[in-house]
Amino acid sequence: MERAVTLAEAPERSTPPWLFDAHFLLAEALRATNDRDKAIRHYQRFLETAPTDNAYRRDAQQALESLGAGKGR
């Protein structure tokens, strides 16, 4: 998954429509394996790129708060 995100974000490629979902899923996997810094980075990237009405935005925000990277931190 991490490799797919890296390849999809290459400057010479157009952004695929699934990229924000990949950031969320990768963040979830990284959080489950206690890779806090990378999980935070991918949750933040998800929030930057996902549509404002995406069903998982709240989950990502809550995950960031639980990781100590929520609003105001």
Side-chain angles (χ1 to χ4, degrees):
M1 181 72 74
E2 197 164 6
R3 181 80 172 136
V5 168
T6 300
L7 289 172
E9 289 188 323
E12 67 276 2
R13 297 180 184 261
S14 61
T15 303
W18 49 262
L19 185 56
F20 64 88
D21 285 323
H23 278 292
F24 180 78
L25 294 172
L26 182 53
E28 291 281 280
L30 291 165
R31 182 169 64 140
T33 59
N34 295 316
D35 195 338
R36 181 184 176 276
D37 292 339
K38 283 186 179 179
I40 288 170
R41 187 168 52 242
H42 287 285
Y43 281 125
Q44 289 171 336
R45 191 73 180 115
F46 167 78
L47 290 172
E48 292 168 3
T49 58
T52 57
D53 62 347
N54 185 282
Y56 295 106
R57 288 185 74 82
R58 182 141 173 80
D59 292 338
Q61 291 165 338
Q62 289 175 339
L64 283 170
E65 289 174 15
S66 76
L67 292 168
K71 289 183 179 177
R73 295 188 187 206

